[in-house]
Amino acid sequence: DHGLNNWLTCISNVGTSFMVDGLHLKSLNQFYNKQVATLKENQPQGFWSKRLAAITEKRNRQVRDAVNKAARKVINHCLENRIGTVVFGWNRGQKDGANMGAKTNQKFVQIPTGRLKERVSQLCEQHGIRFVETEESYTSKASFVDDDFLPKIGEKPEGWKESGRRVKRGLYRTQNNQYINADCNGAANILRKVATTLGLCLEGVSRGALLTPLKVRLWTLQESPRL
């Protein structure tokens, strides 16, 4: 499952979970945008300079580094835990139709998740890991713990209602008032979208994995304490 503050949230049916932090990448983009705005202030449309070229090249290198580090973390985790399939939730054209306000739209569009998805796919092919892309509609709303029905995009049945709900940022409450990480709930539901088709058993998805994922910070190469 991909997002902004948590760039990737990964959960497996062998009882593991982790998040790739996206805050640093957001910060890099925000700083770059401020620099560009300052340099272009009071300049004619289409203005460009060596300084603009330099900061753009630096930002692009940092983004490429983030994509490679995040993808490698996913693949290494699969190899270490003998995971043979990666399922990536992705709604095609989602950035084209993003409507979350001007500031959030800018952050969302500038985060190179599409490039990350392609890099994960490439590494999966190199290491003999099956890569599956699936649409992720209603995965954030539905409750994994309560086994809610997951409609396909544009096919929500009349009267469909989720059992639980997100009570605040990062926290999801199930029907029985159990609290789990909201992004882990979404990631687990993405797995559930294709479990039957791929023959995946999800009994190994533990409540501990849903509640306390490790958080990985890309540029420190360290894992923070469980959330």
Side-chain angles (χ1 to χ4, degrees), residues 176-213:
N176 294 325
N177 291 324
Q178 293 180 329
Y179 290 90
I180 58 178
N181 183 280
D183 290 330
C184 286
N185 177 68
N189 277 327
I190 287 171
L191 268 182
R192 202 155 59 90
K193 282 263 184 180
V194 295
T196 301
T197 303
L198 300 179
L200 302 177
C201 176
L202 302 185
E203 291 180 0
V205 181
S206 65
R207 185 169 182 269
L210 291 170
L211 182 61
T212 56

Short mmCIF file of all heavy atoms in Angstrom, two decimals, residues 176-213:
data_model
loop_
_atom_site.label_atom_id
_atom_site.label_comp_id
_atom_site.label_asym_id
_atom_site.label_seq_id
_atom_site.Cartn_x
_atom_site.Cartn_y
_atom_site.Cartn_z
N ASN A 176 -15.23 -4.85 16.37
CA ASN A 176 -15.18 -5.24 17.78
C ASN A 176 -14.30 -4.32 18.61
O ASN A 176 -13.79 -4.72 19.67
CB ASN A 176 -14.68 -6.69 17.91
CG ASN A 176 -15.67 -7.68 17.30
OD1 ASN A 176 -16.88 -7.48 17.38
ND2 ASN A 176 -15.15 -8.72 16.69
N ASN A 177 -14.09 -3.10 18.10
CA ASN A 177 -13.31 -2.08 18.81
C ASN A 177 -11.85 -2.48 19.03
O ASN A 177 -11.23 -2.08 20.03
CB ASN A 177 -13.96 -1.72 20.16
CG ASN A 177 -15.27 -0.98 19.97
OD1 ASN A 177 -15.41 -0.17 19.06
ND2 ASN A 177 -16.23 -1.27 20.84
N GLN A 178 -11.31 -3.26 18.11
CA GLN A 178 -9.88 -3.51 18.10
C GLN A 178 -9.22 -2.40 17.28
O GLN A 178 -9.77 -1.95 16.27
CB GLN A 178 -9.56 -4.86 17.46
CG GLN A 178 -10.03 -6.06 18.26
CD GLN A 178 -9.69 -7.37 17.56
OE1 GLN A 178 -9.63 -7.44 16.33
NE2 GLN A 178 -9.46 -8.40 18.34
N TYR A 179 -8.06 -1.96 17.72
CA TYR A 179 -7.36 -0.89 17.00
C TYR A 179 -6.14 -1.45 16.29
O TYR A 179 -5.33 -2.17 16.89
CB TYR A 179 -6.94 0.21 17.99
CG TYR A 179 -8.11 1.00 18.52
CD1 TYR A 179 -8.78 0.60 19.68
CD2 TYR A 179 -8.57 2.13 17.85
CE1 TYR A 179 -9.87 1.32 20.16
CE2 TYR A 179 -9.66 2.85 18.32
CZ TYR A 179 -10.29 2.44 19.47
OH TYR A 179 -11.37 3.15 19.93
N ILE A 180 -6.02 -1.12 15.01
CA ILE A 180 -4.90 -1.56 14.19
C ILE A 180 -4.39 -0.38 13.38
O ILE A 180 -5.05 0.65 13.28
CB ILE A 180 -5.28 -2.72 13.26
CG1 ILE A 180 -6.45 -2.32 12.33
CG2 ILE A 180 -5.63 -3.98 14.06
CD1 ILE A 180 -6.83 -3.41 11.34
N ASN A 181 -3.21 -0.53 12.82
CA ASN A 181 -2.66 0.53 11.98
C ASN A 181 -3.48 0.64 10.69
O ASN A 181 -3.73 -0.36 10.01
CB ASN A 181 -1.20 0.22 11.65
CG ASN A 181 -0.55 1.31 10.85
OD1 ASN A 181 -0.73 1.39 9.63
ND2 ASN A 181 0.21 2.16 11.51
N ALA A 182 -3.91 1.85 10.35
CA ALA A 182 -4.81 2.05 9.21
C ALA A 182 -4.14 1.67 7.89
O ALA A 182 -4.77 1.08 7.01
CB ALA A 182 -5.27 3.50 9.15
N ASP A 183 -2.85 1.99 7.73
CA ASP A 183 -2.15 1.66 6.48
C ASP A 183 -1.91 0.16 6.37
O ASP A 183 -1.95 -0.41 5.27
CB ASP A 183 -0.84 2.43 6.38
CG ASP A 183 -1.06 3.92 6.16
OD1 ASP A 183 -2.08 4.27 5.55
OD2 ASP A 183 -0.22 4.72 6.61
N CYS A 184 -1.64 -0.50 7.49
CA CYS A 184 -1.49 -1.96 7.48
C CYS A 184 -2.81 -2.63 7.12
O CYS A 184 -2.83 -3.65 6.42
CB CYS A 184 -1.00 -2.47 8.83
SG CYS A 184 0.75 -2.13 9.15
N ASN A 185 -3.91 -2.06 7.61
CA ASN A 185 -5.24 -2.58 7.24
C ASN A 185 -5.43 -2.49 5.73
O ASN A 185 -5.90 -3.44 5.10
CB ASN A 185 -6.31 -1.78 7.97
CG ASN A 185 -7.72 -2.21 7.59
OD1 ASN A 185 -8.16 -3.31 7.90
ND2 ASN A 185 -8.46 -1.34 6.90
N GLY A 186 -5.05 -1.35 5.14
CA GLY A 186 -5.17 -1.20 3.69
C GLY A 186 -4.28 -2.17 2.94
O GLY A 186 -4.70 -2.77 1.94
N ALA A 187 -3.03 -2.35 3.41
CA ALA A 187 -2.11 -3.27 2.74
C ALA A 187 -2.62 -4.71 2.80
O ALA A 187 -2.53 -5.46 1.83
CB ALA A 187 -0.73 -3.17 3.38
N ALA A 188 -3.16 -5.10 3.97
CA ALA A 188 -3.69 -6.45 4.12
C ALA A 188 -4.89 -6.67 3.19
O ALA A 188 -5.07 -7.75 2.62
CB ALA A 188 -4.08 -6.71 5.57
N ASN A 189 -5.72 -5.64 3.04
CA ASN A 189 -6.87 -5.75 2.13
C ASN A 189 -6.43 -5.85 0.67
O ASN A 189 -7.10 -6.50 -0.14
CB ASN A 189 -7.81 -4.56 2.32
CG ASN A 189 -8.75 -4.76 3.50
OD1 ASN A 189 -9.16 -5.88 3.80
ND2 ASN A 189 -9.09 -3.67 4.17
N ILE A 190 -5.33 -5.20 0.33
CA ILE A 190 -4.80 -5.35 -1.03
C ILE A 190 -4.41 -6.80 -1.28
O ILE A 190 -4.67 -7.36 -2.35
CB ILE A 190 -3.60 -4.40 -1.24
CG1 ILE A 190 -4.10 -2.95 -1.34
CG2 ILE A 190 -2.81 -4.76 -2.48
CD1 ILE A 190 -3.01 -1.91 -1.33
N LEU A 191 -3.78 -7.41 -0.30
CA LEU A 191 -3.47 -8.85 -0.41
C LEU A 191 -4.76 -9.67 -0.59
O LEU A 191 -4.81 -10.59 -1.41
CB LEU A 191 -2.75 -9.34 0.85
CG LEU A 191 -1.23 -9.33 0.89
CD1 LEU A 191 -0.75 -9.90 2.20
CD2 LEU A 191 -0.64 -10.10 -0.28
N ARG A 192 -5.77 -9.29 0.17
CA ARG A 192 -7.03 -10.03 0.14
C ARG A 192 -7.72 -9.93 -1.23
O ARG A 192 -8.47 -10.82 -1.63
CB ARG A 192 -7.95 -9.52 1.26
CG ARG A 192 -9.03 -10.49 1.68
CD ARG A 192 -9.48 -10.22 3.11
NE ARG A 192 -10.00 -8.89 3.32
CZ ARG A 192 -11.30 -8.56 3.18
NH1 ARG A 192 -12.18 -9.48 2.80
NH2 ARG A 192 -11.71 -7.35 3.41
N LYS A 193 -7.46 -8.82 -1.94
CA LYS A 193 -8.06 -8.63 -3.27
C LYS A 193 -7.70 -9.77 -4.22
O LYS A 193 -8.48 -10.12 -5.10
CB LYS A 193 -7.57 -7.30 -3.86
CG LYS A 193 -8.26 -6.06 -3.31
CD LYS A 193 -9.39 -5.61 -4.22
CE LYS A 193 -10.02 -4.32 -3.74
NZ LYS A 193 -11.11 -3.88 -4.63
N VAL A 194 -6.48 -10.30 -4.07
CA VAL A 194 -5.99 -11.29 -5.04
C VAL A 194 -5.67 -12.63 -4.40
O VAL A 194 -5.15 -13.53 -5.07
CB VAL A 194 -4.73 -10.75 -5.76
CG1 VAL A 194 -5.08 -9.54 -6.61
CG2 VAL A 194 -3.64 -10.39 -4.76
N ALA A 195 -5.95 -12.79 -3.11
CA ALA A 195 -5.56 -14.02 -2.40
C ALA A 195 -6.15 -15.26 -3.03
O ALA A 195 -5.46 -16.27 -3.24
CB ALA A 195 -5.97 -13.91 -0.93
N THR A 196 -7.43 -15.22 -3.36
CA THR A 196 -8.09 -16.40 -3.93
C THR A 196 -7.52 -16.73 -5.31
O THR A 196 -7.20 -17.88 -5.60
CB THR A 196 -9.61 -16.16 -4.04
OG1 THR A 196 -10.14 -15.89 -2.74
CG2 THR A 196 -10.30 -17.40 -4.62
N THR A 197 -7.34 -15.71 -6.14
CA THR A 197 -6.82 -15.91 -7.48
C THR A 197 -5.40 -16.48 -7.46
O THR A 197 -5.07 -17.37 -8.25
CB THR A 197 -6.81 -14.57 -8.25
OG1 THR A 197 -8.13 -14.04 -8.27
CG2 THR A 197 -6.33 -14.77 -9.68
N LEU A 198 -4.57 -15.98 -6.54
CA LEU A 198 -3.17 -16.40 -6.49
C LEU A 198 -2.94 -17.60 -5.57
O LEU A 198 -1.83 -18.12 -5.50
CB LEU A 198 -2.30 -15.24 -6.01
CG LEU A 198 -2.30 -13.97 -6.87
CD1 LEU A 198 -1.40 -12.91 -6.25
CD2 LEU A 198 -1.86 -14.28 -8.29
N GLY A 199 -3.98 -18.03 -4.86
CA GLY A 199 -3.83 -19.15 -3.95
C GLY A 199 -3.02 -18.82 -2.72
O GLY A 199 -2.26 -19.66 -2.22
N LEU A 200 -3.19 -17.60 -2.20
CA LEU A 200 -2.44 -17.18 -1.02
C LEU A 200 -3.24 -17.45 0.25
O LEU A 200 -4.42 -17.16 0.31
CB LEU A 200 -2.12 -15.68 -1.10
CG LEU A 200 -1.32 -15.21 -2.31
CD1 LEU A 200 -1.17 -13.69 -2.27
CD2 LEU A 200 0.05 -15.86 -2.36
N CYS A 201 -2.58 -17.99 1.24
CA CYS A 201 -3.20 -18.19 2.55
C CYS A 201 -2.84 -17.01 3.45
O CYS A 201 -1.66 -16.70 3.64
CB CYS A 201 -2.71 -19.50 3.19
SG CYS A 201 -3.35 -19.77 4.86
N LEU A 202 -3.85 -16.34 3.99
CA LEU A 202 -3.61 -15.14 4.79
C LEU A 202 -3.72 -15.38 6.29
O LEU A 202 -3.78 -14.43 7.07
CB LEU A 202 -4.60 -14.04 4.37
CG LEU A 202 -4.57 -13.63 2.89
CD1 LEU A 202 -5.50 -12.45 2.64
CD2 LEU A 202 -3.14 -13.29 2.44
N GLU A 203 -3.72 -16.64 6.69
CA GLU A 203 -3.83 -16.95 8.12
C GLU A 203 -2.62 -16.43 8.90
O GLU A 203 -2.71 -16.20 10.10
CB GLU A 203 -3.97 -18.46 8.32
CG GLU A 203 -5.31 -19.01 7.82
CD GLU A 203 -5.41 -20.52 8.03
OE1 GLU A 203 -4.44 -21.10 8.58
OE2 GLU A 203 -6.46 -21.10 7.68
N GLY A 204 -1.49 -16.25 8.21
CA GLY A 204 -0.28 -15.78 8.88
C GLY A 204 -0.24 -14.29 9.13
O GLY A 204 0.71 -13.79 9.75
N VAL A 205 -1.24 -13.54 8.64
CA VAL A 205 -1.29 -12.09 8.88
C VAL A 205 -1.74 -11.89 10.33
O VAL A 205 -2.92 -12.00 10.64
CB VAL A 205 -2.25 -11.38 7.90
CG1 VAL A 205 -2.26 -9.88 8.18
CG2 VAL A 205 -1.82 -11.65 6.46
N SER A 206 -0.82 -11.58 11.20
CA SER A 206 -1.12 -11.51 12.63
C SER A 206 -1.59 -10.12 13.04
O SER A 206 -1.32 -9.12 12.35
CB SER A 206 0.13 -11.86 13.45
OG SER A 206 1.14 -10.88 13.25
N ARG A 207 -2.28 -10.04 14.17
CA ARG A 207 -2.71 -8.75 14.68
C ARG A 207 -1.51 -7.91 15.08
O ARG A 207 -1.51 -6.69 14.97
CB ARG A 207 -3.65 -8.92 15.87
CG ARG A 207 -4.23 -7.59 16.35
CD ARG A 207 -5.36 -7.78 17.35
NE ARG A 207 -5.92 -6.49 17.75
CZ ARG A 207 -5.50 -5.79 18.79
NH1 ARG A 207 -4.53 -6.26 19.56
NH2 ARG A 207 -6.06 -4.63 19.08
N GLY A 208 -0.43 -8.57 15.52
CA GLY A 208 0.79 -7.84 15.86
C GLY A 208 1.37 -7.13 14.65
O GLY A 208 1.82 -5.99 14.75
N ALA A 209 1.35 -7.80 13.50
CA ALA A 209 1.86 -7.18 12.27
C ALA A 209 0.96 -6.03 11.84
O ALA A 209 1.44 -5.03 11.30
CB ALA A 209 1.95 -8.23 11.17
N LEU A 210 -0.34 -6.16 12.08
CA LEU A 210 -1.28 -5.10 11.71
C LEU A 210 -1.17 -3.90 12.65
O LEU A 210 -1.51 -2.78 12.26
CB LEU A 210 -2.72 -5.63 11.76
CG LEU A 210 -3.11 -6.66 10.70
CD1 LEU A 210 -4.47 -7.27 11.03
CD2 LEU A 210 -3.16 -6.01 9.32
N LEU A 211 -0.69 -4.14 13.85
CA LEU A 211 -0.69 -3.09 14.87
C LEU A 211 0.64 -2.36 14.98
O LEU A 211 0.68 -1.14 15.14
CB LEU A 211 -1.06 -3.69 16.23
CG LEU A 211 -1.16 -2.73 17.41
CD1 LEU A 211 -2.25 -1.69 17.17
CD2 LEU A 211 -1.43 -3.50 18.69
N THR A 212 1.75 -3.09 14.86
CA THR A 212 3.07 -2.49 15.16
C THR A 212 4.08 -2.76 14.05
O THR A 212 5.00 -3.55 14.22
CB THR A 212 3.61 -3.04 16.49
OG1 THR A 212 3.65 -4.48 16.42
CG2 THR A 212 2.77 -2.58 17.65
N PRO A 213 3.95 -2.11 12.89
CA PRO A 213 4.95 -2.29 11.83
C PRO A 213 6.24 -1.55 12.16
O PRO A 213 6.24 -0.54 12.87
CB PRO A 213 4.26 -1.64 10.62
CG PRO A 213 3.38 -0.59 11.21
CD PRO A 213 2.88 -1.17 12.51
#
